[in-house]
Amino acid sequence: MKLSGKSALVIGGSAGLGRACAEACAAEGASVMIADINQPAAEAALAAISAAGGTASFILTDGTDDAAVSASVNATVAQFGGLDILVNSIGGGRSAGDAGWHQAIDLFLKSSYYACKYAIAEMEKRGGGSVINIASIAGVTGSVATDVMTTGYACAKHGVVGLTRTLALAYAKKNIRVNVICPGYFKTEMTPMIHDKEDGGLSHINDNLRVPMGRWGEPHEIGTVAAFLASDESSFITGQPIVVDGGFMAR
Ligand SMILES: NC(=O)c1ccc[n+]([C@@H]2O[C@H](COP(=O)([O-])OP(=O)(O)OC[C@H]3O[C@@H](n4cnc5c(N)ncnc54)[C@H](O)[C@@H]3O)[C@@H](O)[C@H]2O)c1
């Protein structure tokens, strides 16, 4: 298995794309700590990982709280003996107006910064590691802003790409790789406005968004990329936004 003997912290790992990353890393042999605000969802994720023969644990963590993130890193190290892999996949955030702009920066950019800060310090002690941030296609292209929240989302996601590239340069010689996955459209709790329709949003995906593959992405299609980026199979890849979008950005 690609991640045998490794330890992973997945922030926002109770549901959606983060859960898929947690499952994929556990399936490849990593011991996984899920840090999230949603305990019931985490319990379902832990049960699925355990049923598949993997090892996982949970710590209640608000990823926007610097001290709580530090505690989740410490708990991972205490339980698994160190930290090799960090996945940042917090979702949510739908406040309107100025509050929504600031919420997007807190939820997506500041949380990633806090987690990188503490996790990378532990990876240095291990002599290496892999950070996988989850941004969005909104991190590599401007969004058609329909409201202030959309603007904040794109700004935060561009920030996550900048954070990724900068940390990749800073830690390249320390064997710590930092990459960012930029998903297109995936059916999760983040996207009900698109998929909460009679046809599951498929006509929107095809006719309005014109996703070339003509379908939603499946969360496991992010999980497998995260496991690859976490593993030595990607040993010369760092500082990269990896777009996973069924061809959307190729148009
Ligand atoms: N779903 C998509 O189509 C899509 C597309 C592009 C980018 N993304 C990005 O992927 C990431 C994950 O999104 P998702 O679709 O899996 O969302 P999701 O809502 O399905 O899951 C998000 C997870 O984050 C947790 N979370 C929310 N606030 C938190 C906090 N303060 N602290 C800790 N955990 C918290 C939730 O409890 C949940 O488990 C997000 O950063 C999102 O912007 C998603």
Side-chain angles (χ1 to χ4, degrees):
M1 290 193 282
K2 284 201 271 275
L3 303 176
S4 210
K6 305 270 188 197
S7 151
L9 171 62
V10 183
I11 306 186
S14 288
L17 306 184
R19 173 172 165 170
C21 294
E23 289 184 330
C25 288
E28 290 295 344
S31 299
V32 175
M33 179 70 79
I34 291 176
D36 201 292
I37 50 171
N38 188 337
Q39 182 150 8
E43 277 160 13
L46 295 186
I49 289 172
S50 173
T55 301
S57 225
F58 171 69
I59 181 164
L60 191 63
T61 307
D62 179 349
T64 64
D65 177 345
D66 186 296
V69 173
S70 171
S72 75
V73 169
N74 291 340
T76 310
V77 172
Q79 186 152 347
F80 300 136
L83 180 60
D84 307 289
I85 299 156
L86 168 70
V87 179
N88 284 316
S89 188
I90 289 180
R94 284 282 146 213
S95 299
D98 279 354
W101 196 93
H102 289 287
Q103 183 186 46
I105 301 295
D106 286 344
L107 260 183
F108 304 117
L109 182 53
K110 288 190 188 173
S111 68
S112 301
Y113 163 67
Y114 300 148
C116 288
K117 180 173 59 168
Y118 296 115
I120 287 175
E122 289 301 329
M123 290 174 185
E124 281 192 277
K125 294 180 196 165
R126 292 278 256 199
S130 176
V131 175
I132 298 130
N133 292 318
I134 309 289
S136 166
I137 47 176
V140 287
T141 188
S143 284
V144 179
T146 48
D147 53 31
V148 181
M149 171 63 193
T150 315
T151 315
Y153 186 78
C155 293
K157 295 299 187 178
H158 273 71
V160 172
V161 173
L163 177 75
T164 301
R165 288 181 168 138
T166 303
L167 291 176
L169 297 179
Y171 291 94
K173 289 208 167 65
K174 294 190 169 175
N175 196 32
I176 297 170
R177 298 181 297 105
V178 188
N179 291 291
V180 53
I181 299 175
C182 296
Y185 295 94
F186 288 76
K187 203 181 274 193
T188 70
E189 292 299 313
M190 280 283 285
T191 51
M193 68 301 256
I194 311 177
H195 64 70
D196 220 359
K197 307 215 157 60
E198 234 171 59
D199 68 345
L202 209 54
S203 58
H204 189 67
I205 285 282
N206 277 288
D207 305 338
N208 300 341
L209 298 170
R210 295 185 293 120
V211 174
M213 284 192 179
R215 65 170 175 86
W216 289 92
E218 300 286 343
H220 73 82
E221 292 173 308
I222 296 296
T224 50
V225 177
F228 166 71
L229 290 173
S231 78
D232 290 343
E233 288 184 351
S234 59
S235 52
F236 206 47
I237 301 176
T238 195
Q240 292 308 308
I242 313 286
V243 176
V244 183
D245 68 348
F248 185 80
M249 292 293 292
R251 297 175 313 163

PDB file of all heavy atoms in Angstrom, residues 11-12 14-18 35-38 61-64 89-92 107-108 134-136 153 157 183-186 188-191, ligand 1:
ATOM      1  N   ILE A  11      -8.542  17.758   7.727  1.00  0.00           N
ATOM      2  CA  ILE A  11      -9.407  18.769   8.349  1.00  0.00           C
ATOM      3  C   ILE A  11     -10.596  19.012   7.410  1.00  0.00           C
ATOM      4  O   ILE A  11     -10.406  19.291   6.215  1.00  0.00           O
ATOM      5  CB  ILE A  11      -8.620  20.058   8.643  1.00  0.00           C
ATOM      6  CG1 ILE A  11      -7.377  19.714   9.486  1.00  0.00           C
ATOM      7  CG2 ILE A  11      -9.514  21.071   9.355  1.00  0.00           C
ATOM      8  CD1 ILE A  11      -6.583  20.890   9.983  1.00  0.00           C
ATOM      9  N   GLY A  12     -11.805  18.839   7.952  1.00  0.00           N
ATOM     10  CA  GLY A  12     -13.004  18.836   7.104  1.00  0.00           C
ATOM     11  C   GLY A  12     -13.222  17.447   6.513  1.00  0.00           C
ATOM     12  O   GLY A  12     -13.796  17.305   5.436  1.00  0.00           O
ATOM     13  N   SER A  14     -15.048  14.896   7.718  1.00  0.00           N
ATOM     14  CA  SER A  14     -16.264  14.148   8.082  1.00  0.00           C
ATOM     15  C   SER A  14     -17.144  13.854   6.876  1.00  0.00           C
ATOM     16  O   SER A  14     -17.883  12.865   6.873  1.00  0.00           O
ATOM     17  CB  SER A  14     -17.110  14.953   9.081  1.00  0.00           C
ATOM     18  OG  SER A  14     -16.516  14.990  10.345  1.00  0.00           O
ATOM     19  N   ALA A  15     -17.113  14.738   5.882  1.00  0.00           N
ATOM     20  CA  ALA A  15     -18.063  14.610   4.771  1.00  0.00           C
ATOM     21  C   ALA A  15     -17.424  15.073   3.467  1.00  0.00           C
ATOM     22  O   ALA A  15     -16.323  15.627   3.452  1.00  0.00           O
ATOM     23  CB  ALA A  15     -19.311  15.446   5.059  1.00  0.00           C
ATOM     24  N   GLY A  16     -18.151  14.833   2.379  1.00  0.00           N
ATOM     25  CA  GLY A  16     -17.788  15.382   1.079  1.00  0.00           C
ATOM     26  C   GLY A  16     -16.413  14.960   0.583  1.00  0.00           C
ATOM     27  O   GLY A  16     -15.993  13.810   0.731  1.00  0.00           O
ATOM     28  N   LEU A  17     -15.705  15.922   0.014  1.00  0.00           N
ATOM     29  CA  LEU A  17     -14.403  15.623  -0.604  1.00  0.00           C
ATOM     30  C   LEU A  17     -13.370  15.243   0.450  1.00  0.00           C
ATOM     31  O   LEU A  17     -12.508  14.400   0.205  1.00  0.00           O
ATOM     32  CB  LEU A  17     -13.926  16.831  -1.420  1.00  0.00           C
ATOM     33  CG  LEU A  17     -14.916  17.366  -2.468  1.00  0.00           C
ATOM     34  CD1 LEU A  17     -14.278  18.505  -3.276  1.00  0.00           C
ATOM     35  CD2 LEU A  17     -15.394  16.254  -3.401  1.00  0.00           C
ATOM     36  N   GLY A  18     -13.459  15.878   1.636  1.00  0.00           N
ATOM     37  CA  GLY A  18     -12.520  15.551   2.715  1.00  0.00           C
ATOM     38  C   GLY A  18     -12.679  14.109   3.164  1.00  0.00           C
ATOM     39  O   GLY A  18     -11.693  13.403   3.387  1.00  0.00           O
ATOM     40  N   ALA A  35     -10.472  15.754  11.569  1.00  0.00           N
ATOM     41  CA  ALA A  35     -10.717  16.920  12.424  1.00  0.00           C
ATOM     42  C   ALA A  35     -11.837  17.726  11.781  1.00  0.00           C
ATOM     43  O   ALA A  35     -11.701  18.176  10.632  1.00  0.00           O
ATOM     44  CB  ALA A  35      -9.446  17.762  12.537  1.00  0.00           C
ATOM     45  N   ASP A  36     -12.949  17.885  12.510  1.00  0.00           N
ATOM     46  CA  ASP A  36     -14.132  18.472  11.870  1.00  0.00           C
ATOM     47  C   ASP A  36     -15.079  18.968  12.970  1.00  0.00           C
ATOM     48  O   ASP A  36     -14.965  18.571  14.133  1.00  0.00           O
ATOM     49  CB  ASP A  36     -14.827  17.386  11.025  1.00  0.00           C
ATOM     50  CG  ASP A  36     -15.727  17.928   9.933  1.00  0.00           C
ATOM     51  OD1 ASP A  36     -16.778  18.526  10.267  1.00  0.00           O
ATOM     52  OD2 ASP A  36     -15.405  17.747   8.742  1.00  0.00           O
ATOM     53  N   ILE A  37     -16.037  19.828  12.582  1.00  0.00           N
ATOM     54  CA  ILE A  37     -17.050  20.282  13.541  1.00  0.00           C
ATOM     55  C   ILE A  37     -18.254  19.335  13.584  1.00  0.00           C
ATOM     56  O   ILE A  37     -19.108  19.473  14.433  1.00  0.00           O
ATOM     57  CB  ILE A  37     -17.554  21.716  13.231  1.00  0.00           C
ATOM     58  CG1 ILE A  37     -17.948  21.837  11.758  1.00  0.00           C
ATOM     59  CG2 ILE A  37     -16.506  22.757  13.604  1.00  0.00           C
ATOM     60  CD1 ILE A  37     -18.651  23.146  11.430  1.00  0.00           C
ATOM     61  N   ASN A  38     -18.335  18.409  12.629  1.00  0.00           N
ATOM     62  CA  ASN A  38     -19.510  17.543  12.520  1.00  0.00           C
ATOM     63  C   ASN A  38     -19.177  16.129  13.030  1.00  0.00           C
ATOM     64  O   ASN A  38     -18.648  15.300  12.287  1.00  0.00           O
ATOM     65  CB  ASN A  38     -19.981  17.504  11.057  1.00  0.00           C
ATOM     66  CG  ASN A  38     -21.317  16.776  10.917  1.00  0.00           C
ATOM     67  OD1 ASN A  38     -21.682  15.956  11.760  1.00  0.00           O
ATOM     68  ND2 ASN A  38     -22.030  17.082   9.853  1.00  0.00           N
ATOM     69  N   THR A  61     -12.982  19.666  15.974  1.00  0.00           N
ATOM     70  CA  THR A  61     -12.088  20.796  15.700  1.00  0.00           C
ATOM     71  C   THR A  61     -12.778  21.832  14.836  1.00  0.00           C
ATOM     72  O   THR A  61     -13.311  21.497  13.769  1.00  0.00           O
ATOM     73  CB  THR A  61     -10.836  20.321  14.896  1.00  0.00           C
ATOM     74  OG1 THR A  61     -10.223  19.237  15.579  1.00  0.00           O
ATOM     75  CG2 THR A  61      -9.830  21.448  14.701  1.00  0.00           C
ATOM     76  N   ASP A  62     -12.746  23.068  15.278  1.00  0.00           N
ATOM     77  CA  ASP A  62     -13.157  24.173  14.397  1.00  0.00           C
ATOM     78  C   ASP A  62     -11.890  24.640  13.682  1.00  0.00           C
ATOM     79  O   ASP A  62     -11.000  25.245  14.290  1.00  0.00           O
ATOM     80  CB  ASP A  62     -13.772  25.306  15.218  1.00  0.00           C
ATOM     81  CG  ASP A  62     -14.195  26.478  14.341  1.00  0.00           C
ATOM     82  OD1 ASP A  62     -13.832  26.506  13.143  1.00  0.00           O
ATOM     83  OD2 ASP A  62     -14.882  27.379  14.854  1.00  0.00           O
ATOM     84  N   GLY A  63     -11.819  24.368  12.398  1.00  0.00           N
ATOM     85  CA  GLY A  63     -10.619  24.680  11.616  1.00  0.00           C
ATOM     86  C   GLY A  63     -10.344  26.164  11.458  1.00  0.00           C
ATOM     87  O   GLY A  63      -9.274  26.541  10.964  1.00  0.00           O
ATOM     88  N   THR A  64     -11.294  27.015  11.867  1.00  0.00           N
ATOM     89  CA  THR A  64     -11.048  28.453  11.775  1.00  0.00           C
ATOM     90  C   THR A  64     -10.440  28.993  13.074  1.00  0.00           C
ATOM     91  O   THR A  64     -10.212  30.192  13.207  1.00  0.00           O
ATOM     92  CB  THR A  64     -12.346  29.233  11.471  1.00  0.00           C
ATOM     93  OG1 THR A  64     -13.251  29.072  12.570  1.00  0.00           O
ATOM     94  CG2 THR A  64     -13.004  28.729  10.211  1.00  0.00           C
ATOM     95  N   SER A  89      -9.663  20.484   3.849  1.00  0.00           N
ATOM     96  CA  SER A  89     -10.853  20.378   2.990  1.00  0.00           C
ATOM     97  C   SER A  89     -12.122  20.881   3.674  1.00  0.00           C
ATOM     98  O   SER A  89     -13.191  20.302   3.520  1.00  0.00           O
ATOM     99  CB  SER A  89     -11.041  18.911   2.557  1.00  0.00           C
ATOM    100  OG  SER A  89     -12.069  18.813   1.597  1.00  0.00           O
ATOM    101  N   ILE A  90     -11.999  21.981   4.393  1.00  0.00           N
ATOM    102  CA  ILE A  90     -13.187  22.556   5.031  1.00  0.00           C
ATOM    103  C   ILE A  90     -14.131  23.101   3.955  1.00  0.00           C
ATOM    104  O   ILE A  90     -13.692  23.748   3.000  1.00  0.00           O
ATOM    105  CB  ILE A  90     -12.777  23.684   6.005  1.00  0.00           C
ATOM    106  CG1 ILE A  90     -12.095  23.081   7.230  1.00  0.00           C
ATOM    107  CG2 ILE A  90     -13.982  24.513   6.419  1.00  0.00           C
ATOM    108  CD1 ILE A  90     -11.653  24.111   8.239  1.00  0.00           C
ATOM    109  N   GLY A  91     -15.440  22.843   4.149  1.00  0.00           N
ATOM    110  CA  GLY A  91     -16.438  23.377   3.217  1.00  0.00           C
ATOM    111  C   GLY A  91     -17.445  24.243   3.950  1.00  0.00           C
ATOM    112  O   GLY A  91     -17.282  24.533   5.139  1.00  0.00           O
ATOM    113  N   GLY A  92     -18.496  24.638   3.241  1.00  0.00           N
ATOM    114  CA  GLY A  92     -19.567  25.423   3.858  1.00  0.00           C
ATOM    115  C   GLY A  92     -19.419  26.907   3.591  1.00  0.00           C
ATOM    116  O   GLY A  92     -18.691  27.327   2.700  1.00  0.00           O
ATOM    117  N   LEU A 107     -12.888  30.725   6.542  1.00  0.00           N
ATOM    118  CA  LEU A 107     -13.140  29.289   6.360  1.00  0.00           C
ATOM    119  C   LEU A 107     -12.102  28.616   5.471  1.00  0.00           C
ATOM    120  O   LEU A 107     -11.665  27.505   5.750  1.00  0.00           O
ATOM    121  CB  LEU A 107     -14.503  29.100   5.679  1.00  0.00           C
ATOM    122  CG  LEU A 107     -15.710  28.741   6.515  1.00  0.00           C
ATOM    123  CD1 LEU A 107     -16.908  28.546   5.605  1.00  0.00           C
ATOM    124  CD2 LEU A 107     -15.476  27.496   7.357  1.00  0.00           C
ATOM    125  N   PHE A 108     -11.727  29.288   4.395  1.00  0.00           N
ATOM    126  CA  PHE A 108     -10.908  28.600   3.401  1.00  0.00           C
ATOM    127  C   PHE A 108      -9.432  28.997   3.459  1.00  0.00           C
ATOM    128  O   PHE A 108      -8.561  28.141   3.315  1.00  0.00           O
ATOM    129  CB  PHE A 108     -11.460  28.856   1.989  1.00  0.00           C
ATOM    130  CG  PHE A 108     -12.896  28.449   1.850  1.00  0.00           C
ATOM    131  CD1 PHE A 108     -13.878  29.375   1.554  1.00  0.00           C
ATOM    132  CD2 PHE A 108     -13.275  27.127   2.058  1.00  0.00           C
ATOM    133  CE1 PHE A 108     -15.209  28.997   1.453  1.00  0.00           C
ATOM    134  CE2 PHE A 108     -14.599  26.740   1.965  1.00  0.00           C
ATOM    135  CZ  PHE A 108     -15.575  27.678   1.656  1.00  0.00           C
ATOM    136  N   ILE A 134      -7.161  21.875  -0.527  1.00  0.00           N
ATOM    137  CA  ILE A 134      -8.240  21.775  -1.514  1.00  0.00           C
ATOM    138  C   ILE A 134      -8.708  23.201  -1.809  1.00  0.00           C
ATOM    139  O   ILE A 134      -9.242  23.875  -0.927  1.00  0.00           O
ATOM    140  CB  ILE A 134      -9.440  20.935  -1.003  1.00  0.00           C
ATOM    141  CG1 ILE A 134      -8.994  19.567  -0.449  1.00  0.00           C
ATOM    142  CG2 ILE A 134     -10.473  20.768  -2.113  1.00  0.00           C
ATOM    143  CD1 ILE A 134      -8.509  18.555  -1.430  1.00  0.00           C
ATOM    144  N   ALA A 135      -8.479  23.650  -3.032  1.00  0.00           N
ATOM    145  CA  ALA A 135      -8.955  24.988  -3.422  1.00  0.00           C
ATOM    146  C   ALA A 135     -10.193  24.799  -4.291  1.00  0.00           C
ATOM    147  O   ALA A 135     -11.217  24.271  -3.833  1.00  0.00           O
ATOM    148  CB  ALA A 135      -7.858  25.767  -4.130  1.00  0.00           C
ATOM    149  N   SER A 136     -10.103  25.158  -5.553  1.00  0.00           N
ATOM    150  CA  SER A 136     -11.264  25.098  -6.450  1.00  0.00           C
ATOM    151  C   SER A 136     -10.787  25.593  -7.813  1.00  0.00           C
ATOM    152  O   SER A 136      -9.741  26.245  -7.909  1.00  0.00           O
ATOM    153  CB  SER A 136     -12.351  26.044  -5.920  1.00  0.00           C
ATOM    154  OG  SER A 136     -13.346  26.279  -6.896  1.00  0.00           O
ATOM    155  N   TYR A 153     -15.179  33.931  -2.007  1.00  0.00           N
ATOM    156  CA  TYR A 153     -14.791  32.542  -2.266  1.00  0.00           C
ATOM    157  C   TYR A 153     -13.606  32.499  -3.232  1.00  0.00           C
ATOM    158  O   TYR A 153     -12.597  31.844  -2.976  1.00  0.00           O
ATOM    159  CB  TYR A 153     -15.988  31.780  -2.842  1.00  0.00           C
ATOM    160  CG  TYR A 153     -15.768  30.303  -3.025  1.00  0.00           C
ATOM    161  CD1 TYR A 153     -15.839  29.423  -1.942  1.00  0.00           C
ATOM    162  CD2 TYR A 153     -15.492  29.761  -4.286  1.00  0.00           C
ATOM    163  CE1 TYR A 153     -15.646  28.057  -2.111  1.00  0.00           C
ATOM    164  CE2 TYR A 153     -15.288  28.406  -4.465  1.00  0.00           C
ATOM    165  CZ  TYR A 153     -15.371  27.550  -3.373  1.00  0.00           C
ATOM    166  OH  TYR A 153     -15.169  26.196  -3.542  1.00  0.00           O
ATOM    167  N   LYS A 157      -9.837  31.253  -2.406  1.00  0.00           N
ATOM    168  CA  LYS A 157      -9.276  30.100  -3.124  1.00  0.00           C
ATOM    169  C   LYS A 157      -8.005  30.485  -3.884  1.00  0.00           C
ATOM    170  O   LYS A 157      -7.062  29.694  -3.964  1.00  0.00           O
ATOM    171  CB  LYS A 157     -10.327  29.494  -4.054  1.00  0.00           C
ATOM    172  CG  LYS A 157     -11.528  28.884  -3.315  1.00  0.00           C
ATOM    173  CD  LYS A 157     -11.104  27.746  -2.393  1.00  0.00           C
ATOM    174  CE  LYS A 157     -12.288  27.023  -1.779  1.00  0.00           C
ATOM    175  NZ  LYS A 157     -11.881  25.897  -0.930  1.00  0.00           N
ATOM    176  N   PRO A 183     -10.842  21.331  -7.475  1.00  0.00           N
ATOM    177  CA  PRO A 183     -11.968  20.565  -8.033  1.00  0.00           C
ATOM    178  C   PRO A 183     -12.876  21.435  -8.894  1.00  0.00           C
ATOM    179  O   PRO A 183     -13.007  22.642  -8.675  1.00  0.00           O
ATOM    180  CB  PRO A 183     -12.734  20.091  -6.783  1.00  0.00           C
ATOM    181  CG  PRO A 183     -11.828  20.344  -5.615  1.00  0.00           C
ATOM    182  CD  PRO A 183     -10.958  21.499  -6.009  1.00  0.00           C
ATOM    183  N   GLY A 184     -13.523  20.762  -9.848  1.00  0.00           N
ATOM    184  CA  GLY A 184     -14.605  21.401 -10.613  1.00  0.00           C
ATOM    185  C   GLY A 184     -15.900  21.196  -9.842  1.00  0.00           C
ATOM    186  O   GLY A 184     -15.998  21.577  -8.678  1.00  0.00           O
ATOM    187  N   TYR A 185     -16.883  20.533 -10.465  1.00  0.00           N
ATOM    188  CA  TYR A 185     -18.216  20.405  -9.850  1.00  0.00           C
ATOM    189  C   TYR A 185     -18.456  18.989  -9.312  1.00  0.00           C
ATOM    190  O   TYR A 185     -18.467  18.030 -10.084  1.00  0.00           O
ATOM    191  CB  TYR A 185     -19.292  20.791 -10.866  1.00  0.00           C
ATOM    192  CG  TYR A 185     -19.183  22.254 -11.227  1.00  0.00           C
ATOM    193  CD1 TYR A 185     -18.454  22.664 -12.351  1.00  0.00           C
ATOM    194  CD2 TYR A 185     -19.755  23.230 -10.423  1.00  0.00           C
ATOM    195  CE1 TYR A 185     -18.316  24.011 -12.669  1.00  0.00           C
ATOM    196  CE2 TYR A 185     -19.624  24.572 -10.727  1.00  0.00           C
ATOM    197  CZ  TYR A 185     -18.908  24.952 -11.848  1.00  0.00           C
ATOM    198  OH  TYR A 185     -18.768  26.284 -12.146  1.00  0.00           O
ATOM    199  N   PHE A 186     -18.635  18.923  -7.985  1.00  0.00           N
ATOM    200  CA  PHE A 186     -18.851  17.653  -7.293  1.00  0.00           C
ATOM    201  C   PHE A 186     -20.128  17.748  -6.473  1.00  0.00           C
ATOM    202  O   PHE A 186     -20.405  18.788  -5.871  1.00  0.00           O
ATOM    203  CB  PHE A 186     -17.651  17.332  -6.374  1.00  0.00           C
ATOM    204  CG  PHE A 186     -16.415  16.939  -7.145  1.00  0.00           C
ATOM    205  CD1 PHE A 186     -15.654  17.910  -7.791  1.00  0.00           C
ATOM    206  CD2 PHE A 186     -16.041  15.611  -7.250  1.00  0.00           C
ATOM    207  CE1 PHE A 186     -14.525  17.547  -8.530  1.00  0.00           C
ATOM    208  CE2 PHE A 186     -14.921  15.246  -7.979  1.00  0.00           C
ATOM    209  CZ  PHE A 186     -14.162  16.214  -8.624  1.00  0.00           C
ATOM    210  N   THR A 188     -21.893  17.503  -3.452  1.00  0.00           N
ATOM    211  CA  THR A 188     -21.697  17.410  -1.997  1.00  0.00           C
ATOM    212  C   THR A 188     -22.631  18.420  -1.326  1.00  0.00           C
ATOM    213  O   THR A 188     -23.406  19.106  -1.994  1.00  0.00           O
ATOM    214  CB  THR A 188     -20.240  17.759  -1.594  1.00  0.00           C
ATOM    215  OG1 THR A 188     -20.045  19.152  -1.810  1.00  0.00           O
ATOM    216  CG2 THR A 188     -19.211  16.952  -2.361  1.00  0.00           C
ATOM    217  N   GLU A 189     -22.488  18.556  -0.016  1.00  0.00           N
ATOM    218  CA  GLU A 189     -23.280  19.545   0.738  1.00  0.00           C
ATOM    219  C   GLU A 189     -22.954  20.973   0.307  1.00  0.00           C
ATOM    220  O   GLU A 189     -23.674  21.906   0.646  1.00  0.00           O
ATOM    221  CB  GLU A 189     -23.000  19.398   2.234  1.00  0.00           C
ATOM    222  CG  GLU A 189     -23.511  18.104   2.841  1.00  0.00           C
ATOM    223  CD  GLU A 189     -25.015  17.958   2.734  1.00  0.00           C
ATOM    224  OE1 GLU A 189     -25.716  18.925   3.051  1.00  0.00           O
ATOM    225  OE2 GLU A 189     -25.475  16.882   2.309  1.00  0.00           O
ATOM    226  N   MET A 190     -21.837  21.159  -0.410  1.00  0.00           N
ATOM    227  CA  MET A 190     -21.451  22.505  -0.868  1.00  0.00           C
ATOM    228  C   MET A 190     -22.250  22.943  -2.090  1.00  0.00           C
ATOM    229  O   MET A 190     -22.282  24.123  -2.402  1.00  0.00           O
ATOM    230  CB  MET A 190     -19.957  22.527  -1.279  1.00  0.00           C
ATOM    231  CG  MET A 190     -18.961  22.645  -0.171  1.00  0.00           C
ATOM    232  SD  MET A 190     -18.797  24.303   0.508  1.00  0.00           S
ATOM    233  CE  MET A 190     -17.870  25.197  -0.727  1.00  0.00           C
ATOM    234  N   THR A 191     -22.857  22.000  -2.808  1.00  0.00           N
ATOM    235  CA  THR A 191     -23.424  22.345  -4.118  1.00  0.00           C
ATOM    236  C   THR A 191     -24.918  22.042  -4.278  1.00  0.00           C
ATOM    237  O   THR A 191     -25.371  21.779  -5.394  1.00  0.00           O
ATOM    238  CB  THR A 191     -22.631  21.601  -5.232  1.00  0.00           C
ATOM    239  OG1 THR A 191     -22.552  20.199  -4.885  1.00  0.00           O
ATOM    240  CG2 THR A 191     -21.249  22.153  -5.406  1.00  0.00           C
TER     241      THR A 191
HETATM  242  N1  LIG B   1     -18.119  20.213  -3.995  1.00  0.00           N
HETATM  243  C1  LIG B   1     -17.603  20.891  -4.977  1.00  0.00           C
HETATM  244  O1  LIG B   1     -18.116  20.886  -6.102  1.00  0.00           O
HETATM  245  C2  LIG B   1     -16.335  21.682  -4.769  1.00  0.00           C
HETATM  246  C3  LIG B   1     -15.784  22.308  -5.895  1.00  0.00           C
HETATM  247  C4  LIG B   1     -14.633  23.048  -5.733  1.00  0.00           C
HETATM  248  C5  LIG B   1     -14.027  23.130  -4.504  1.00  0.00           C
HETATM  249  N2  LIG B   1     -14.573  22.505  -3.438  1.00  0.00           N
HETATM  250  C6  LIG B   1     -13.897  22.677  -2.144  1.00  0.00           C
HETATM  251  O2  LIG B   1     -13.699  21.434  -1.535  1.00  0.00           O
HETATM  252  C7  LIG B   1     -13.683  21.610  -0.104  1.00  0.00           C
HETATM  253  C8  LIG B   1     -14.623  20.598   0.513  1.00  0.00           C
HETATM  254  O3  LIG B   1     -15.931  20.854   0.033  1.00  0.00           O
HETATM  255  P1  LIG B   1     -17.080  19.746   0.062  1.00  0.00           P
HETATM  256  O4  LIG B   1     -17.813  19.909  -1.204  1.00  0.00           O
HETATM  257  O5  LIG B   1     -16.512  18.449   0.424  1.00  0.00           O
HETATM  258  O6  LIG B   1     -17.977  20.324   1.250  1.00  0.00           O
HETATM  259  P2  LIG B   1     -18.889  19.547   2.301  1.00  0.00           P
HETATM  260  O7  LIG B   1     -19.778  20.600   2.858  1.00  0.00           O
HETATM  261  O8  LIG B   1     -19.487  18.330   1.713  1.00  0.00           O
HETATM  262  O9  LIG B   1     -17.866  19.063   3.442  1.00  0.00           O
HETATM  263  C9  LIG B   1     -17.155  20.007   4.175  1.00  0.00           C
HETATM  264  C10 LIG B   1     -16.697  19.457   5.507  1.00  0.00           C
HETATM  265  O10 LIG B   1     -16.076  20.558   6.218  1.00  0.00           O
HETATM  266  C11 LIG B   1     -16.573  20.538   7.550  1.00  0.00           C
HETATM  267  N3  LIG B   1     -16.451  21.874   8.133  1.00  0.00           N
HETATM  268  C12 LIG B   1     -17.194  22.973   7.856  1.00  0.00           C
HETATM  269  N4  LIG B   1     -16.775  24.008   8.612  1.00  0.00           N
HETATM  270  C13 LIG B   1     -15.765  23.546   9.375  1.00  0.00           C
HETATM  271  C14 LIG B   1     -14.934  24.128  10.351  1.00  0.00           C
HETATM  272  N5  LIG B   1     -15.059  25.411  10.707  1.00  0.00           N
HETATM  273  N6  LIG B   1     -13.982  23.369  10.935  1.00  0.00           N
HETATM  274  C15 LIG B   1     -13.846  22.056  10.616  1.00  0.00           C
HETATM  275  N7  LIG B   1     -14.610  21.452   9.684  1.00  0.00           N
HETATM  276  C16 LIG B   1     -15.556  22.181   9.082  1.00  0.00           C
HETATM  277  C17 LIG B   1     -18.008  20.052   7.425  1.00  0.00           C
HETATM  278  O11 LIG B   1     -18.511  19.601   8.677  1.00  0.00           O
HETATM  279  C18 LIG B   1     -17.845  18.940   6.392  1.00  0.00           C
HETATM  280  O12 LIG B   1     -17.483  17.729   6.994  1.00  0.00           O
HETATM  281  C19 LIG B   1     -14.107  23.060   0.146  1.00  0.00           C
HETATM  282  O13 LIG B   1     -12.954  23.823   0.446  1.00  0.00           O
HETATM  283  C20 LIG B   1     -14.711  23.473  -1.167  1.00  0.00           C
HETATM  284  O14 LIG B   1     -14.586  24.869  -1.387  1.00  0.00           O
HETATM  285  C21 LIG B   1     -15.713  21.780  -3.537  1.00  0.00           C
END
